Every structure is written in C-alpha cells, then in structure tokens.
C-alpha cells in the first residue's frame, strides 16, 4: 500500500510538471466554473418565479412536486454537459502534450466540439444516475443516504476514465462507461489513490490557506481599515479559487496519463516510463 501511494504521488507530481508547461490548461476549469454558475442561474431564477421550489420544505413529508423533479433532471443534464464539455477539452489538450505536442486552448475546444453528441449522451447517463441516487436518499432515510453515498463513490471511481476514452476513441457513451470500468480493474489502486491523493493534498492546502486568510481578515478587522479587510477577503477568495482550478486541471491530466498507459498507448511526455510500467502492469 505504501509503495502504491508513493508511486501515485509521483504520478501526481508528474501531472503538475505537465501543468507547469501548459498553464493555459487552467482556463478550462475556469470556463467550466463560469458556465456552471450561468446554468445554475438560468434554472434557479425561473424556478423561483414558477414556484417549483416551494415544495422543498415539504420534501420529508410529501416529496418534491413533479415539476421540481423535471427541473432537477434538466438541471443535472445541463450542468453535467457543461462540466464534461470543458473536461473533454482539458483532457484533449493534455493528451496532445503527453504525446509530445504543444496544445492550445483552441485545440482543446476543437476536440470537445467534435464530441458534442457523445458528451450529451454521457451527460444524460450521469444525470440519470444522479436522479436515481437522489431518489434513494429521499426515500430510504439515513440508510438511503449511506447507500447512495457508496454507490456515488463507486460511480465516480468507475467513470473516472470515461472522458479520456471519449477523447481517444470513436465510441458511444455507454461503450465509454464500460471501457472505463474494465480499465479500472487494472488500475483501481492508482485510480483511487490518485484521486484521493489529489483531494487530500489540496484539502490540506485549502485548510492552511483558510487559516491564513482568516488570520489576515482578523488582523485587518483589528486595524479597522475597510480597505485592508476587503483586500484580505479578496486574497482569500482568489487563493481558494486558484487552488480549485489547479486541482481540477491536475485531475484531468492525471486521468489522461492513466488512460494512455492503462490502454497501452505508449509513454507520455513528462511521466517516467518505468514507473508507469510498474503502476499499470496487468494484474495476473
């Protein structure tokens, strides 16, 4: 286990070296965040006007009204489509770098634009899974929340390589999900530890940044300077947002490298071939 964790940490650092060469990859999670906020506003504001959210306070007694379920599904679908579109652009650009090229933002958007149909299909699958998990949570109490949590974690891990599959191969969304699950059998340790490692590292970093930011805000408040308080709050928000963008970019690069070696596509620039050979050797 310790050897596997050390190996995965080395792969995370390799992903960071790729991001250092192509800092423009950070634009994809940034655009994704902006687009998801716009989608959320486009759904929430009309829903408030139609009163579709009035039944939320009665969820435990009567359940959500039918219109709220329809809006929830459409919201999931739109959000997933946006997220998968920009993630496809990120992974596509990362693939170019891993193959020795020099990607641009337009390269990533072009790749994602050529996959609109399968991205929508995958978003449809993910939205359906999300609604099923939500229904389990609502109808089975704390047991349902526990079951939904386990199923959600399993889905997240099993579908981690779907986007690299869609970028690299001309397959449909169902085939991509199946292939991702098959590849998981060979890379489950690196997959889980890699995702968990990135999350753990940035969780600790964000915690430290939050503590420092709060300390700065308190110091600024003691000075009774509105300008200093505003600057401290702005610095904290910018640091947290930048951390989230870097985490998302590293996750996309990591998934691209993981797929290339799990599928036998050859070495990736910036990654140790011997290390990857040990990490992704087929299980006996």
């Amino acid at each position: 286990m310790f050897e596997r964790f050390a190996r995965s940490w080395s792969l995370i650092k390799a992903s960071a070296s790729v991001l250092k060469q192509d800092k423009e990859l950070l634009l994809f999670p940034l655009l994704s965040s902006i687009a998801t906020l716009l989608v959320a506003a486009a759904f929430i504001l009309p829903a408030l006007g139609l009163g579709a959210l009035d039944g939320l306070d009665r969820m435990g007694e009567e359940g959500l009204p039918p219109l709220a379920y329809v809006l929830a599904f459409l919201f999931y679908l739109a959000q997933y489509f946006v997220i998968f579109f920009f993630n496809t652009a990120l992974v596509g650009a990362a693939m170019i770098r891993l193959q020795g090229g020099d990607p641009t933002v337009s390269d990533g958007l072009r790749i994602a634009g050529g996959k609109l149909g399968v991205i929508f299909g995958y978003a449809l699958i993910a939205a359906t899974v999300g609604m099923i998990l939500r229904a389990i949570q609502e109808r089975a109490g704390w047991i349902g929340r526990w079951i939904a949590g386990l199923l959600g974690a399993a889905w997240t891990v099993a579908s981690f390589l779907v986007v690299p599959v869609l970028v690299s191969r001309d397959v449909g969304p169902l085939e991509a999900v199946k292939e991702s699950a098959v590849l998981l059998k060979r890379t489950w340790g690196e997959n889980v530890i890699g995702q968990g490692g990135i999350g753990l590292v940035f969780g600790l970093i964000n915690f430290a940044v939050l503590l420092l930011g709060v300390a700065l805000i308190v110091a600024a408040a003691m000075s009774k300077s509105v300008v200093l308080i505003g600057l401290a709050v702005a610095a904290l928000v910018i640091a947290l947002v930048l951390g989230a963008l870097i985490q998302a970019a590293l996750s996309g690069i990591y998934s691209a490298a993981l797929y290339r070696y799990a599928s036998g596509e050859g070495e990736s620039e910036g990654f140790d071939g011997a290390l990857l050979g040990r990490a992704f050797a087929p299980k006996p």
Side-chain angles (χ1 to χ4, degrees):
M1 176 59 71
F2 288 110
E3 179 185 357
R4 188 183 295 275
F5 185 85
R7 188 167 57 216
S8 296
W9 174 243
S10 297
L11 297 176
I12 293 172
K13 290 194 295 183
S15 300
S17 70
V18 173
L19 180 60
K20 186 177 180 180
Q21 296 180 68
D22 294 288
K23 297 181 180 65
E24 63 270 23
L25 295 179
L26 291 172
L27 287 175
F28 296 119
L30 176 61
L31 293 173
S32 179
S33 299
I34 295 173
T36 53
L37 288 176
L38 292 176
V39 169
F43 275 87
I44 292 174
L45 295 179
L48 289 174
L50 293 172
L53 302 182
D54 292 342
L56 285 174
D57 57 349
R58 303 191 305 273
M59 181 168 39
E61 301 175 3
E62 304 175 10
L64 289 173
L67 180 57
Y69 277 108
V70 173
L71 286 176
F73 179 79
L74 294 177
F75 174 73
Y76 277 141
L77 179 60
Q79 288 282 58
Y80 281 130
F81 178 81
V82 168
I83 292 170
F84 295 150
F85 176 85
F86 287 105
N87 196 21
T88 300
L90 167 63
V91 171
M95 288 283 193
I96 295 175
R97 167 58 64 183
L98 295 177
Q99 293 168 358
D102 185 14
T104 64
V105 173
S106 61
D107 288 330
L109 295 176
R110 172 181 51 78
I111 292 171
K115 301 283 184 176
L116 289 179
V118 291
I119 292 174
F120 180 81
Y122 180 41
L124 189 62
I125 294 173
T128 302
V129 171
M131 289 299 296
I132 291 173
L133 294 178
R134 178 167 182 169
I136 294 174
Q137 287 179 322
E138 292 179 4
R139 299 178 182 276
W142 69 269
I143 296 179
R145 289 191 292 272
W146 181 72
I147 293 174
L150 289 178
L151 293 176
W155 167 257
T156 299
V157 172
S159 61
F160 185 61
L161 296 179
V162 169
V163 170
V165 172
L166 292 178
V167 169
S168 302
R169 299 190 55 201
D170 186 16
V171 297
L174 283 175
E175 290 82 359
V177 172
K178 292 178 182 177
E179 183 168 341
S180 176
V182 169
L183 292 173
L184 173 65
K185 296 178 181 178
R186 294 169 54 185
T187 63
W188 71 273
E190 281 70 25
N191 191 331
V192 174
I193 293 177
Q195 295 182 72
I198 293 175
L200 176 61
V201 169
F202 278 90
L204 294 174
I205 292 175
N206 288 335
F207 181 71
V209 169
L210 187 60
L211 288 180
L212 179 60
V214 170
L216 290 176
I217 292 173
V218 170
M222 293 177 64
S223 71
K224 298 181 180 181
S225 171
V226 176
V227 174
L228 289 179
I229 294 174
L231 290 175
V233 172
L236 176 59
V237 172
I238 291 173
L240 292 175
V241 170
L242 182 59
L245 296 179
I246 294 174
Q247 180 178 353
L250 288 180
S251 181
I253 296 169
Y254 187 93
S255 69
L258 183 63
Y259 170 77
R260 277 179 54 79
Y261 280 86
S263 60
E265 290 195 6
E267 295 187 0
S268 294
E269 183 174 310
F271 286 79
D272 187 328
L275 174 66
L276 285 166
R278 294 192 300 271
F280 305 121
K283 291 184 174 65

